[in-house]
Amino acid sequence: MNASGDGPVGRTLRLIGEHRTAVREALGDQRYASLLTRLEVLATVASDDGRALRRAWQGVRQILLELPFDHPARLPDSVRLVGTAPELTGVAGAQELLALLLATPDPAPAPSMSDGTSDDILRAPALSADEAHARCGGAAPPPELIRLADPQGGDRYPEFQFPTGCGTPYEIVLRINRLLLADIDPWGAAAWWLSGNTWLGGAPAALLGRRPDQELVVAAAALVEGD
């Protein structure tokens, strides 16, 4: 890879390419597929759009923080793409890395909904597409809502995103979903909401209305920023 640049972002992209098999094995098929999706977003951002570049890199960074601490491609906590031009050269590197990863033969079957984590998420209470539309006053659900594609039952919207019984989506859920890039990686966002969180003392979805909204925001931001 020659287009990644010499900054920490470029070095990180090169490490992913050099250790691509180990990266896939460490992440598992579902999260590796999310990494490819987020690299694709980074690779297609306009190189002069600093805000979009930072948001796209944030998505890649969020996945890399899930690698083991001793993994050779583990992203240092200091790499945040907060600088200017030198750190905004990741687009070309992402394009080159994505081409390399897509050309690498799969060491394992393609991601499927039989993955245990996905099964757990799909077992959680959810609304159908029609029900979600009704809850949104007949309008299309906002893109910030987590929408899961279930090959058996069609699109599903995890029920925790709505007040019990009736009502439009929680504003705090939409806010946090934007932080978690739920429109890009709905499975990763759903996993955060539905899994136990040590800092909060429980699954965030179960703590809606029971813990201050700002505590949930801080916990989500800590994941995104890697603090």
Side-chain angles (χ1 to χ4, degrees), residues 49-60:
D49 190 340
R51 182 178 181 182
L53 282 164
R54 288 183 175 86
R55 186 172 186 269
W57 173 249
Q58 180 188 79
V60 174

Side-chain angles (χ1 to χ4, degrees), residues 40 68 75 109 178 199:
E40 184 175 4
L75 181 65
R178 284 191 289 270
W199 191 81

Side-chain angles (χ1 to χ4, degrees), residues 9-31:
V9 172
R11 291 196 298 271
T12 299
L13 294 176
R14 285 198 297 274
L15 283 173
I16 296 171
E18 292 169 7
H19 302 281
R20 53 193 179 276
T21 300
V23 167
R24 176 160 189 165
E25 291 175 350
L27 290 176
D29 286 342
Q30 189 71 44
R31 301 307 284 152

Side-chain angles (χ1 to χ4, degrees), residues 10 22 48 70-71 110 169 182 210 225:
D48 60 349
D70 59 350
H71 195 283
R210 298 171 53 196
E225 293 300 327

Side-chain angles (χ1 to χ4, degrees), residues 44-88:
T44 56
V45 170
S47 60
D48 60 349
D49 190 340
R51 182 178 181 182
L53 282 164
R54 288 183 175 86
R55 186 172 186 269
W57 173 249
Q58 180 188 79
V60 174
R61 183 177 186 275
Q62 186 176 331
I63 297 293
L64 296 180
L65 287 170
E66 299 182 24
L67 291 170
F69 284 102
D70 59 350
H71 195 283
R74 176 67 155 79
L75 181 65
D77 288 347
S78 60
V79 182
R80 297 190 180 182
L81 223 175
V82 296
T84 53
E87 283 301 285
L88 298 181

Side-chain angles (χ1 to χ4, degrees), residues 181-207:
L181 304 177
D183 56 330
I184 297 173
D185 181 18
W187 293 96
W192 183 84
W193 278 106
L194 295 169
S195 301
N197 185 290
T198 302
W199 191 81
L200 291 171
L207 298 175

